[in-house]
Amino acid sequence: MLTFDNARRTYKIGELARELDRSTLTIKKWEENGLIPKARRDSRGWRYYTEDDIGKIKLILEENKYFARRSAT
């Protein structure tokens, strides 16, 4: 497990995707389009998120209707 800035825990993109009930591709697209903050990356280029990052992303999702889940009709 990696740690950044004394973070208690870090999460890989798959763990973040499960936490947010979204796909990893969706999270990557949001990041590429500047809709959420860029993830930290290790030497292999893998994305890692701290608990603070996840809190910020959840706040963005809650405050912006763009991110609302679309219900199946």
Side-chain angles (χ1 to χ4, degrees), residues 36-54:
I36 63 172
K38 290 196 176 285
R40 292 166 176 84
R41 293 181 180 242
D42 66 10
S43 61
R44 299 168 291 192
W46 293 11
R47 290 171 170 85
Y48 287 91
Y49 302 86
T50 64
E51 292 173 335
D52 289 341
D53 296 332
I54 292 173

Side-chain angles (χ1 to χ4, degrees), residues 19-59:
E19 177 74 21
L20 300 178
D21 191 28
R22 301 302 202 282
S23 71
T24 57
L25 180 60
T26 295
I27 293 169
K28 288 176 185 179
K29 289 295 181 187
W30 289 347
E31 184 181 315
E32 288 171 9
N33 291 315
L35 300 171
I36 63 172
K38 290 196 176 285
R40 292 166 176 84
R41 293 181 180 242
D42 66 10
S43 61
R44 299 168 291 192
W46 293 11
R47 290 171 170 85
Y48 287 91
Y49 302 86
T50 64
E51 292 173 335
D52 289 341
D53 296 332
I54 292 173
K56 290 175 188 173
I57 292 169
K58 284 182 175 181
L59 185 61

Side-chain angles (χ1 to χ4, degrees), residues 52-69:
D52 289 341
D53 296 332
I54 292 173
K56 290 175 188 173
I57 292 169
K58 284 182 175 181
L59 185 61
I60 290 168
L61 298 180
E62 289 172 8
E63 292 180 347
N64 193 327
K65 291 182 182 180
Y66 173 84
F67 297 103
R69 300 282 293 162

